[in-house]
Structure formats: structure tokens, C-alpha cells
Amino acid sequence: MAQYFELHPENPQPRLLKQAVALLAKGDVIAVPTDSSYALVCHLDDKSAVDRMRRLRGVDDRHHLTLLCRDLSELANYARVDNKQYRLLKSATPGAYTFILEASKEVPRRVSHPSRKTIGLRVPEHKALQELLALHGAPLLATTLIPPGETEPLHDAAEIRERFEHQLAAVLDAGACPSEPTTVIDLVPMGTGGDPEIVREGRGSLAALGL
């Protein structure tokens, strides 16, 4: 049965967030609100948790998972970033964007794309999630919470609890959550002089980045 943590949107209770961190450390998968929609998250280094998260989402190892990072300096530890890419990242973080980048050696090969060796990375602009990441002390592996066979992400905590109460360890409720997924931008072509490629247009504004 999924635990249900009701968090204050601006001042999330550390006691509840610490309980969520303890569940992640045990290898559990939980649902968290973000600045775009709900996401499933787990510990980066826990293979069984990652496999379970993929099954919940109904995706295989060719689906890009995303690392949720606290800030740009943390993101840069997990991806190979040149100066041009860094400037674009700096203008877009924190925010509702996911960036595809070449994974660094800090990323386990089993969670990067099997042929491209890339990983999705993002810095969310969401108070409760930022506090959770700070207490966890490292990035969390995530995927947008879109149920198998569906196309729209879930954004209501009560519905998520009802539909996944026997598959998740916890659902974090910090109030209303947007129902639109992130904008996904592939920055890998920039490393060889090309332009960023728009993979999915979502909540993050392309105009704000000059794209």
C-alpha cells in the first residue's frame, strides 16, 4: 500500500521528505510532483528499482530515462558538456526542460541509452522536489508518469495513489501539478557543430531559448 505524504507546497515538511528518502534508499519507487507533471523516481544505483520503474512505465532500455539534478553543477558531473552546450543549459535551468546529453562515466551503462550512450538530464523548478533531492544528496533517476498504453502524463496525486497503490511505495502530494510534460531537447549534435534537435515540445518554452 503506497504511503501518502501531503506536503506544504512552499515549506515541505523535512520529516516527511526524510521518510521518502529512506524509502528510496531501500530500493523503492515513488511518485513525485515536478514542474511539468508527476514522475516516477528511484535510486540511480539500484538495478532492481530501475527495472521495476521501467515495468511500471511500460518501456524498455531504449527509452531515455532522466536524471533529476539539484543544479547545473551537479548535472555537469553526469554528462559531457562543452561551453556552447553549457551556455544553453544555464539559460534553461531550473525549468521544464529535459536535455539529452552524452553520459559521463558517473552514469551506470545500464541506465544510459544502449546504442547512443546518452542520458536525459534536467533541473526541475519545484520546491518540494528540490528539497527531496537535497536530502537525498544525489540525482534521482526518473521517468514521466504515463501509464502503459496511455499518452498523457498523470498529474493528480489522489488518482496516482488509487491506480498505483500496490505498485508504489509512496506518493508525494504538494498541491496542483501541471499536466504537460517537459520539452525535450537533444544537445548531442551541438558537440559536433550542429544545432539542438527538438525531440518533444512541452511546457518549457522554445522561444525563451531562442529555438
Side-chain angles (χ1 to χ4, degrees):
M1 185 71 72
Q3 297 186 55
Y4 195 75
F5 298 139
E6 293 189 65
L7 302 168
H8 189 282
E10 295 302 323
N11 297 293
Q13 302 91 314
R15 173 180 59 85
L16 297 178
L17 291 174
K18 287 176 183 176
Q19 290 180 43
V21 167
L23 292 172
L24 292 165
K26 273 173 40 175
D28 285 325
V29 178
I30 68 175
V32 301
T34 79
D35 51 350
S36 60
S37 63
Y38 262 82
L40 299 173
V41 299
C42 71
H43 199 291
L44 171 63
D45 296 320
D46 193 313
K47 182 182 183 301
S48 63
V50 176
D51 290 343
R52 192 159 64 255
M53 189 168 74
R54 281 192 170 117
R55 286 195 300 272
L56 282 169
R57 181 70 167 73
V59 298
D60 61 20
D61 64 356
R62 300 187 71 81
H63 178 84
H64 268 113
L65 298 176
T66 298
L67 278 178
L68 299 177
C69 302
R70 282 175 289 178
D71 54 35
L72 195 51
S73 63
E74 189 172 73
L75 181 151
N77 289 332
Y78 293 87
R80 302 183 189 281
V81 180
D82 65 22
N83 290 337
K84 193 175 179 182
Q85 291 167 330
Y86 187 87
R87 285 194 296 272
L88 192 150
L89 290 166
K90 190 172 182 180
S91 70
T93 54
Y97 301 91
T98 299
F99 297 99
I100 307 300
L101 288 157
E102 184 183 350
S104 74
K105 292 181 180 179
E106 298 297 319
V107 178
R109 290 189 66 179
R110 57 186 165 71
V111 302
S112 61
H113 191 279
S115 58
R116 295 188 65 201
K117 307 304 180 225
T118 49
I119 188 76
L121 294 112
R122 88 181 200 89
V123 181
E125 190 173 21
H126 190 284
K127 180 69 172 175
L129 183 51
Q130 278 282 353
E131 293 290 336
L132 179 71
L133 289 168
L135 286 169
H136 180 62
L140 287 169
L141 198 62
T143 184
T144 304
L145 209 177
I146 303 174
E150 300 183 26
T151 57
E152 297 299 317
L154 299 183
H155 59 93
D156 181 78
E159 180 189 357
I160 293 166
R161 184 192 194 189
E162 183 178 335
R163 293 181 62 175
F164 292 92
E165 63 179 349
H166 298 297
Q167 297 162 283
L168 296 173
V171 178
L172 274 56
D173 182 356
C177 187
S179 60
E180 194 174 4
T182 58
T183 291
V184 181
I185 305 171
D186 189 343
L187 299 188
V188 174
M190 292 180 72
T192 53
D195 295 322
E197 294 181 0
I198 311 307
V199 178
R200 177 182 71 198
E201 190 168 354
R203 187 160 183 262
S205 167
L206 292 173
L209 305 183
L211 300 176

